[in-house]
Amino acid sequence: MALIPTEFMRPDRLWWLLLIPALVALYLFLVWWRRSRSKAHTINNLERVLPRQQAWKRHVAVGLAILALGALNVAFAQPKAEVDVPRDRATIVLTLDVSLSMQASDVAPNRLDAAKAAAKEFLQLLPTGFNVSLVRFAGTAAVVVPPTSDRGVVAAAIDSLDVAPYTAIGEGIYSSLDAIAQAPPDPNDPESTAPGAIVLLSDGFTNIGRDSADAATESKGKGIPIYTIAYGTAGGYLIGEGGQREPVPVNHTELSQIARLSGGKKFSAGSSEELRQVYASIARSVGYVKADQEVTETYAGYAVVFAGLAVLAMMSLAARWP
């Protein structure tokens, strides 16, 4: 992916870029002069049998050479760009809905089992220095595993989750905030506060407990974004006691509001594969931070590539430039 410089450590060196339009003008003049000269003299027998150069190859060769000079000059000015830098530490709370609707089989084998499998894969995507906590919620919420770097403990706890009645998303968020508060300090810098984030998966909407919008607002105030995942499909259903289907469609509205109010982002997943992709995207979002970094080597690399292509184009000509 191309990196666009945001600033230069030696911007005074960019003056050399003025040579490029001068070189372009010189090349255009030589092309014009060569064409004028060729029209002015009679073609002899030798020129009739010699292969003629293809103009577009010459133009490509010169263009690549000029691009190489431009990239080299940008590298010479020591550019800096905004890049993704891996975080050293963070606390991630994995907050899972275990309400009865998570038994719906619109996601095979059912929503909860598929969510468990994807959540355990998500653990392996996070940097090793991250602490992970597990919170479960249905009618009530609880911190199942406080922040820990032991992925095996969290994975085992995920396997042990079981369903319960009702859905209290707000309580799940408040318990997640409590979990982040339990994160152990950095032994190298005890006074620092590691960044935190909540990854909340649910298929329903709050029908008991405190309001989720208030919880999301409090999370925003603490600088903790919530990445919500609306999990399931519109056709999800459970079989009731009388054998009748009870629709349990996924609810997007509340989860979108939670993400917006907390400063996070809302995702949707209607299958196991989509959920894996969502978790991978979230892992990158929480695992990296944007930072300005010198990218001189990147532009030097561009210059080498353009120069190499220019050499190949020149070799294909096997003839002089204009």
Side-chain angles (χ1 to χ4, degrees), residues 21 83 250 298:
V83 298
V250 64
T298 300

Side-chain angles (χ1 to χ4, degrees), residues 17-275:
L17 286 174
L18 294 176
L19 289 176
I20 290 180
L23 291 173
V24 172
L26 176 61
Y27 175 72
L28 294 175
F29 170 77
L30 291 174
V31 169
W32 169 82
W33 178 75
R34 186 168 183 267
R35 287 178 178 174
S36 300
R37 183 185 172 193
S38 64
K39 291 178 181 179
H41 77 280
T42 304
I43 300 177
N44 57 39
N45 291 332
L46 180 60
E47 289 176 322
R48 292 179 190 277
V49 298
L50 288 175
R52 300 186 63 184
Q53 291 183 351
Q54 293 177 308
W56 69 268
K57 286 187 177 182
R58 297 197 305 273
H59 300 332
V60 168
V62 173
L64 289 170
I66 289 174
L67 286 174
L69 287 174
L72 188 61
N73 189 200
V74 171
F76 187 51
Q78 296 179 258
K80 295 175 68 176
E82 194 175 66
V83 298
D84 289 331
V85 178
R87 294 182 188 271
D88 293 328
R89 296 178 63 244
T91 300
I92 306 301
V93 181
L94 192 55
T95 308
L96 298 180
D97 183 347
V98 294
S99 58
L100 293 176
S101 59
M102 290 291 287
Q103 292 177 311
S105 58
D106 54 337
V107 179
N110 61 60
R111 291 177 181 176
L112 183 57
D113 286 344
K116 287 180 178 180
K120 288 189 292 184
E121 291 181 12
F122 173 67
L123 296 177
Q124 306 308 316
L125 298 176
L126 295 173
T128 55
F130 279 31
N131 287 307
V132 183
S133 176
L134 177 65
V135 168
R136 64 109 180 110
F137 68 92
T140 59
V143 179
V144 181
V145 179
T148 177
S149 59
D150 191 334
R151 304 290 190 264
V153 171
V154 181
I158 290 173
D159 283 332
S160 69
L161 294 176
D162 203 358
V163 296
Y166 303 108
T167 304
I169 298 178
E171 298 301 330
I173 296 173
Y174 283 117
S175 291
S176 299
L177 294 175
D178 291 340
I180 289 179
Q182 299 175 36
D186 183 356
N188 298 320
D189 189 5
E191 300 301 321
S192 66
T193 301
I198 297 170
V199 180
L200 186 150
L201 180 147
S202 179
D203 65 348
F205 56 89
T206 298
N207 51 30
I208 193 173
R210 287 174 284 182
D211 186 68
S212 63
D214 292 340
T217 301
E218 182 170 330
S219 188
K220 171 72 171 181
K222 293 183 177 181
I224 301 170
I226 303 175
Y227 297 85
T228 61
I229 306 173
Y231 189 44
T233 67
Y237 64 89
L238 297 174
I239 302 297
E241 293 182 0
Q244 296 180 335
R245 290 188 176 187
E246 298 179 3
V248 284
V250 64
N251 182 282
H252 295 271
T253 304
E254 184 174 358
L255 296 177
S256 295
Q257 181 186 50
I258 291 170
R260 177 178 55 82
L261 291 175
S262 68
K265 187 176 181 179
K266 184 256 186 184
F267 297 86
S268 299
S271 68
S272 297
E273 182 56 34
E274 288 181 1
L275 182 58

